[in-house]
Amino acid sequence: MFSYSKFEHDYKLSEFKYEEPISKDFRVIVNGEEIPVYTCRISRIPFNRPFPGYQRPIDQTEEASFVNIVSDEEIKIEVIINGEYEKVMIRPYAKNIAFEDNGGKVSFILKDEAQLVFATDDLHNPLYIFNSKPIECENPDSVAYYFGPGVHMPGKIVLKSNESVYLHKDALVFGAVYAKDAENIRVYGNGLFDDAWEGRFFIHCYEGFPCGNIKFYDCKNVSVEGVLFRNSSIWCVNLFHCFDSVLDNIKVFGQWRYNNDGVDIVNSKNITVKNSFIHSFDDAITIKGIDRYAETDNENILSENCVLWCDWGKTLEIGLETQCRRYRNIVFRNCDIIRAGNTVLDIQNGDCAEVSDIIFENINVEYNLCDKRPRIQQSEEQEYDAYDSIHVPALIKFGNPRFREAYANDTWKVPEKGAELDLTGVEEAGIKNIVVNNINIYYDERIPLKNIANEMPYYDIRENEKDGDRYAGIFIRSVVDGVRFRDISVSNITVNGERATKDDFIIDVSDTDNFTFDGEEL
């Protein structure tokens, strides 16, 4: 059985129905039946700025397309491309999707669930293809918020303990989900949440309003499954001080606003993010610690089997806020990265925590000729000026830039350090016992290949940009007097299928004791 999302407004009290825009770039046929191709907005350029009191201008964005297929059988997909092109790409490359291109009609087979990006020539104006198994609601009367077929506008939905939200595949919901001090809550289905209704009125992303797509505080036993999330006003999916929770097969896309992190996990324990697609403007998956919850460490967190696209920030990240005693037992595994923003694998230990026992393994990362240098917008008049650049993100960047020194200014007004933690036995601002293993790099052959990278500025949070350029590679540096890092191993990096050596990278690990590359201590 296969079906697809059809977002149709049937509001009886108005002559003016809402019509979800249809793509002008692509048509899609599944098993011989043409299905609707909808649109969303994504970032056009990697141009970010501190929150200035309003949201990002539309002229920094562009249109993308998407289809939401629900299927439990093998399906044949045909994509009809409107316009000329030279090259077809179905990403992630590691999925090895074989296709036939018959001059404007591209066809391929999907045998199982998939989260793909279909693009021509570069990654501008892509087509997201989501194919998921159906998620049924057996008893709608048992669901606190049941959204059937149609367009719904509930605004902020506040969940209490033992309540759930269900979205039918044909449900387009202009709303957000919020909970505090709740347990046993569930958000599930094959439908779409859109946060376009919500504005942003505060600088910080920590507060309960705006909400973003989802924001949970102090919750236990949270399950979010299958749902699509689009157009968040701020951080997209948020778990603040949550426990024993799972995000499974969610799709975060159409995210273009300032600070649009994909998934933020804050002072939480026993969290899993799996089988999900996350395209964020800012950081894709990030684990943070803030003053309010500083007494709770970040522990036992797993991110696996995800497809990630980061436009500007960090892709798999710890920090920058790390206000707690410890981060430990955190694993990023089996992920495909279509675009990596500024950095692929990142630790920014910006507060007092000891970060230890972290694993990055089996990561596929794609380096694209069309990627441009990230820029910070400093004024209304400033325009993006790096259209002619080729940007290759740093592969590994571990450090402890000082969060409060960077943001304690008139714009952000970061408070002085909050909870006075007992740091006995903790290596404050330290990083240790980190394993990076099995990293597969795919690069466009047209990218200059000296050290597998083009020149890029080394971004330092204290000074915005360092003078001069460095090559992308492996940077592990401490800026805190007396703090050195230790026991960090990197092994088995391949580039287009060939094993790389330490000589293929610029490696700066002078602040680390016992750093090894393929078992060799440097």
Side-chain angles (χ1 to χ4, degrees):
M1 182 275 291
F2 102 88
S3 58
Y4 50 88
S5 288
K6 183 185 295 185
F7 303 127
E8 295 184 342
H9 194 190
D10 190 25
Y11 186 45
K12 300 291 194 301
L13 300 181
S14 174
E15 298 177 21
F16 306 100
K17 293 182 179 180
Y18 172 82
E19 293 186 5
E20 183 70 3
I22 297 296
S23 172
K24 301 180 181 65
D25 297 323
F26 303 98
R27 294 166 53 206
V28 173
I29 298 169
V30 181
N31 288 356
E33 180 179 350
E34 185 164 355
I35 70 173
V37 182
Y38 296 111
T39 66
C40 60
R41 193 154 292 281
I42 63 174
S43 175
R44 179 175 59 85
I45 48 178
F47 204 32
N48 202 358
R49 68 180 297 181
F51 181 70
Y54 59 87
Q55 276 294 359
R56 194 173 181 201
I58 292 294
D59 63 8
Q60 294 182 13
T61 73
E62 65 187 18
E63 193 172 271
S65 305
F66 73 97
V67 292
N68 187 36
I69 303 167
V70 179
S71 173
D72 56 7
E73 65 179 24
E74 179 176 297
I75 57 175
K76 180 181 180 180
I77 296 180
E78 298 170 281
V79 179
I80 299 173
I81 303 165
N82 297 327
E84 297 181 356
Y85 62 93
E86 296 181 0
K87 178 182 179 182
V88 168
M89 300 174 288
I90 302 179
R91 320 282 285 268
Y93 289 138
K95 301 302 183 185
N96 295 316
I97 303 296
F99 62 88
E100 294 183 2
D101 183 359
N102 295 310
K105 178 184 284 189
V106 177
S107 60
F108 54 96
I109 300 294
L110 292 183
K111 296 182 179 182
D112 207 341
E113 293 182 284
Q115 300 155 345
L116 305 173
V117 172
F118 182 102
T120 57
D121 299 337
D122 56 32
L123 286 174
H124 290 288
N125 307 108
L127 167 67
Y128 303 103
I129 299 174
F130 303 131
N131 181 41
S132 303
K133 292 180 180 178
I135 300 175
E136 303 294 342
C137 178
E138 295 182 358
N139 182 10
D141 292 336
S142 68
V143 178
Y145 298 90
Y146 179 92
F147 295 103
V151 179
H152 310 268
M153 302 181 184
K156 188 173 182 178
I157 300 167
V158 180
L159 287 182
K160 300 177 183 178
S161 291
N162 304 307
E163 289 189 335
S164 58
V165 181
Y166 177 79
L167 280 72
H168 186 275
K169 67 176 177 61
D170 295 328
L172 169 56
V173 181
F174 288 96
V177 183
Y178 174 93
K180 181 172 175 57
D181 297 315
E183 58 183 339
N184 304 322
I185 57 178
R186 186 183 183 195
V187 180
Y188 68 114
N190 297 112
L192 171 62
F193 265 117
D194 190 301
D195 194 42
W197 65 280
E198 186 178 46
R200 181 181 178 187
F201 304 101
F202 297 102
I203 292 174
H204 291 296
C205 303
Y206 312 151
E207 307 305 324
F209 186 85
C211 189
N213 294 124
I214 277 186
K215 188 166 283 186
F216 294 150
Y217 295 93
D218 312 304
C219 292
K220 299 178 182 178
N221 299 323
V222 172
S223 173
V224 184
E225 180 186 3
V227 181
L228 287 68
F229 297 103
R230 184 177 67 177
N231 202 15
S232 179
S233 64
I234 204 164
W235 293 356
C236 304
V237 176
N238 305 266
L239 300 177
F240 286 85
H241 197 239
C242 291
F243 306 89
D244 305 313
S245 300
V246 178
L247 309 178
D248 184 8
N249 196 22
I250 66 172
K251 296 88 173 175
V252 177
F253 70 105
Q255 308 290 354
W256 57 277
R257 302 175 190 263
Y258 296 132
N259 298 121
N260 262 161
D261 292 2
V263 173
D264 287 86
I265 301 167
V266 183
N267 298 92
S268 296
K269 296 184 180 183
N270 305 324
I271 306 296
T272 298
V273 183
K274 62 181 181 179
N275 308 321
S276 294
F277 180 94
I278 300 166
H279 178 183
S280 56
F281 171 62
D282 214 328
D283 309 324
I285 299 177
T286 182
I287 304 171
K288 298 180 181 292
I290 65 173
D291 296 7
R292 186 184 312 168
Y293 298 115
E295 295 289 345
T296 299
D297 294 339
N298 282 299
E299 294 183 305
N300 305 326
I301 298 170
L302 171 64
S303 300
E304 67 175 352
N305 300 329
C306 293
V307 178
L308 307 169
W309 175 340
C310 174
D311 282 315
W312 190 88
K314 315 299 193 295
T315 311
L316 297 173
E317 179 185 31
I318 287 173
L320 170 67
E321 304 96 303
T322 56
Q323 176 69 344
C324 59
R325 293 183 184 87
R326 294 181 177 89
Y327 282 63
R328 57 188 174 188
N329 299 330
I330 296 171
V331 178
F332 302 95
R333 181 171 63 204
N334 299 338
C335 291
D336 293 297
I337 299 173
I338 293 172
R339 173 178 274 169
N342 181 282
T343 305
V344 182
L345 311 177
D346 187 78
I347 297 175
Q348 295 189 90
N349 191 353
D351 271 303
C352 59
E354 174 188 272
V355 176
S356 69
D357 303 301
I358 313 297
I359 297 174
F360 301 89
E361 67 178 359
N362 301 336
I363 308 295
N364 303 310
V365 55
E366 302 172 10
Y367 286 74
N368 307 290
L369 184 69
C370 60
D371 289 352
K372 307 304 177 187
R373 283 190 178 187
R375 286 285 189 261
I376 290 283
Q377 184 178 359
Q378 304 288 358
S379 68
E380 300 295 335
E381 296 76 23
Q382 182 181 346
E383 296 183 357
Y384 183 76
D385 61 359
Y387 289 103
D388 295 331
S389 66
I390 300 174
H391 171 64
V392 178
L395 181 62
I396 297 169
K397 195 182 292 185
F398 300 161
N400 50 15
R402 299 292 81 197
F403 167 61
R404 295 168 204 279
E405 292 178 16
Y407 289 108
N409 54 50
D410 290 339
T411 300
W412 288 88
K413 293 180 171 57
V414 172
E416 294 182 4
K417 191 170 181 178
E420 291 301 324
L421 295 173
D422 179 3
L423 297 174
T424 302
V426 169
E427 295 183 22
E428 186 172 357
I431 299 173
K432 66 178 183 179
N433 300 336
I434 314 297
V435 174
V436 180
N437 185 40
N438 292 340
I439 310 300
N440 304 304
I441 297 174
Y442 299 80
Y443 66 83
D444 189 306
E445 291 83 352
R446 296 168 291 177
I447 296 175
L449 290 181
K450 185 175 182 180
N451 296 306
I452 320 174
N454 189 52
E455 287 187 323
M456 62 169 285
Y458 183 88
Y459 183 75
D460 187 300
I461 197 67
R462 297 168 304 154
E463 301 174 12
N464 195 19
E465 279 191 2
K466 284 288 194 182
D467 294 333
D469 287 338
R470 290 179 177 271
Y471 289 103
I474 301 169
F475 305 103
I476 303 176
R477 295 198 287 186
S478 174
V479 301
V480 178
D481 292 341
V483 174
R484 293 182 61 81
F485 308 143
R486 61 183 172 90
D487 302 330
I488 299 174
S489 69
V490 176
S491 59
N492 193 24
I493 299 178
T494 62
V495 181
N496 282 359
E498 296 185 6
R499 185 71 172 263
T501 72
K502 61 182 176 58
D503 296 328
D504 291 316
F505 300 93
I506 292 295
I507 300 178
D508 180 353
V509 293
S510 56
D511 297 321
T512 303
D513 298 321
N514 190 27
F515 173 87
T516 60
F517 190 103
D518 282 342
E520 178 184 352
E521 186 170 356
L522 303 185

